[in-house]
Amino acid sequence: MKLRGIDSLDLSGKKVLVRVDFNVPFKGGKVTDTTRIAAHKETIDALLAQGALVTLVSHFGRPKGKVVPELSLGQIRADVEKIYGVPVRFVADCVGPEVAKAVSSQKAGEVLLLENSRFHPEEEKNDPAFSALMAKPFDAFVMDAFSAAHRANSSTVGVGDSLPSAAGFLLQKEIDALSVVRDEPVPPYVVVLGGAKVADKIAVIERMIEKADSLLIGGGMAFTFLAEKGLNVGRSLYDAEHADFARSMLARAKERGVRVLLPVDVVEAHAIEEPETARVVPAEEISSDCMGLDIGPRTEKLFAEAIKGARTVLWNGPMGVFESEAFASGTKAVANALAEATRTGTFTVVGGGDSASAAKKFGVGSLVSHLSTGGGASLEFCEGKDLPAVVPLLKR
């Protein structure tokens, strides 16, 4: 899936609005993870090298259409300036006279950073008048925020209705990598799914069961499948509403010859807040007063062996409550298995959100083929959905 790139536009001396994703972790007045800022550097560098006058727009948190000082992007200006290595000037709005004035006085090599686009309620409504106002000071638009590409907002879609538009390098890289695992994986293809809810993964499972050779299911969602195989899952997460889907998916996998691996042992405990009660038990011996909170060591080895034998791997969703040390071993084992598989030539993709956070936590973020910056966007793309901000950029 090829998109119109920035090389399709003559941007020398042009005023270019770039949609980035600076919705970064922020605590104690500091950015705690600059990954998302750094991810756009290749695009920004290329635009500046072309002689473009670059302005950045992004959302930050969920201010719900109101000005919330704690969610001002002015707080991260210094981080952006340090990472990009160029002067960055903050503008205290994303539309209107203040933006127009800043753009008209912008110096070559200087980058402008606009205020949080979600301070305006019209942004998330993709209001046409607001979109046109946002686009007015600019000559071109570059969409580079893959993680926001599933949102039809003014800053992701609407401005492109008024301006010549192109995809940035990050957006194209995401589409390239995710297209492989969605549309043309090299077999054997292993899909590793985790997370809490079956409902969150239904569309991905339905898509991948037609492509994958093996499905490895862990996390809280695994217990619905285990229950449908007749096991007692105690107080573990159980999605009764989607139990029929789990049953039909297992039947569909058997019909297609897709191997489905479920946990053969788990780490159970009375509660997440009581890690001292954690112990490993066979999957068929989960205690009635306990909940499964991670896959066990035998399952870790089973999953690692399956990943080792793959040529393509997609991982989306942790194997347990990896934020707690007592329930992190399974997710860490999968992360390490992906890193090792990548080293030996397997094409590996880690979906965004919790999976990406886990990969970074366990030091393998740079050791896989592709670490997605988009949680919801990568999930929807893998489901086969059209992303609103991507469709207008497709090469015709």
Side-chain angles (χ1 to χ4, degrees):
M1 182 182 290
K2 287 301 178 183
L3 311 179
R4 289 194 311 277
I6 58 177
D7 58 351
S8 67
L9 302 175
D10 178 9
L11 299 175
S12 179
K14 300 294 178 61
K15 300 165 185 173
V16 181
L17 180 65
V18 185
R19 180 45 157 103
V20 292
D21 184 1
F22 288 169
N23 188 30
V24 293
F26 193 80
K27 190 174 182 180
K30 294 182 179 180
V31 177
T32 57
D33 185 349
T34 60
T35 301
R36 282 187 167 176
I37 299 174
H40 297 290
K41 189 175 188 303
E42 184 180 3
T43 296
I44 306 308
D45 285 349
L47 291 170
L48 292 173
Q50 284 192 37
L53 296 168
V54 176
T55 297
L56 310 177
V57 63
S58 177
H59 72 285
F60 184 33
R62 297 179 178 177
K64 298 181 179 179
K66 298 179 181 179
V67 176
V68 180
E70 293 81 7
L71 296 176
S72 171
L73 281 168
Q75 300 171 100
I76 73 166
R77 185 207 63 80
D79 295 274
V80 177
E81 186 171 81
K82 181 179 179 181
I83 290 169
Y84 294 166
V86 295
V88 175
R89 178 159 48 115
F90 177 67
V91 184
D93 207 341
C94 65
V95 294
E98 195 163 354
V99 176
K101 182 179 178 182
V103 172
S104 66
S105 64
Q106 188 174 7
K107 299 174 182 177
E110 176 188 52
V111 170
L112 301 181
L113 172 62
L114 304 185
E115 183 56 283
N116 191 339
S117 61
R118 289 188 181 173
F119 281 0
H120 295 267
E122 300 89 347
E123 153 74 337
E124 292 187 85
K125 297 174 183 177
N126 193 19
D127 178 82
F130 181 76
S131 300
L133 185 62
M134 183 178 286
K136 190 175 180 180
F138 303 99
D139 302 312
F141 172 61
V142 172
M143 175 61 187
D144 203 36
F146 173 75
S147 49
H150 60 316
R151 305 296 186 198
N153 296 163
S154 288
S155 67
T156 60
V157 176
V159 291
D161 294 336
S162 304
L163 298 170
S165 304
F169 290 115
L170 174 61
L171 181 58
Q172 184 65 71
K173 284 180 179 177
E174 291 273 12
I175 296 299
D176 287 346
L178 292 170
S179 291
V180 171
V181 295
R182 187 187 74 173
D183 302 326
E184 47 188 29
V186 177
Y189 180 28
V190 171
V191 177
V192 187
L193 297 175
K197 300 177 182 178
V198 175
D200 293 342
K201 301 294 192 301
I202 285 178
V204 169
I205 293 172
E206 289 178 332
R207 176 97 184 190
M208 295 307 170
I209 206 164
E210 302 300 324
K211 299 280 184 179
D213 297 289
S214 298
L215 284 177
L216 283 49
I217 301 177
M221 65 181 289
F223 297 102
T224 301
F225 290 90
L226 289 172
E228 291 311 303
K229 290 178 74 69
L231 277 66
N232 170 43
V233 296
R235 292 172 45 245
S236 307
L237 287 176
Y238 174 70
D239 188 350
E241 184 179 349
H242 296 98
D244 287 347
F245 168 79
R247 192 180 314 115
S248 65
M249 192 283 288
L250 290 170
R252 175 66 176 150
K254 184 177 181 180
E255 177 186 306
R256 287 205 69 256
V258 177
R259 183 173 63 153
V260 177
L261 298 184
L262 294 168
V264 295
D265 60 345
V266 303
V267 179
E268 68 170 19
H270 289 144
I272 297 172
E273 300 78 17
E274 299 180 34
E276 69 279 2
T277 66
R279 64 170 189 156
V280 177
V281 297
E284 61 272 17
E285 295 180 17
I286 297 173
S287 306
S288 296
D289 62 344
C290 287
M291 57 179 64
L293 296 168
D294 193 13
I295 60 174
R298 284 197 296 137
T299 307
E300 289 177 13
K301 292 179 181 178
L302 186 67
F303 283 14
E305 281 299 312
I307 292 168
K308 182 180 179 181
R311 292 287 306 282
T312 309
V313 180
L314 169 65
W315 174 30
N316 194 300
M319 298 294 100
V321 187
F322 72 95
E323 297 86 352
S324 170
E325 191 61 33
F327 313 116
S329 180
T331 304
K332 183 177 182 180
V334 166
N336 288 336
L338 258 73
E340 178 59 22
T342 310
R343 189 185 67 79
T344 57
T346 300
F347 184 75
T348 57
V349 173
V350 178
D354 286 342
S355 309
S357 297
K360 286 183 278 190
K361 176 178 179 177
F362 299 122
V364 305
S366 62
L367 303 180
V368 295
S369 304
H370 182 73
L371 181 72
S372 181
T373 58
S378 61
L379 195 61
E380 289 193 19
F381 187 84
C382 287
E383 290 171 358
K385 293 180 180 177
D386 290 331
L387 304 185
V390 171
V391 172
L393 300 173
L394 290 172
K395 280 188 176 180
R396 302 299 182 186

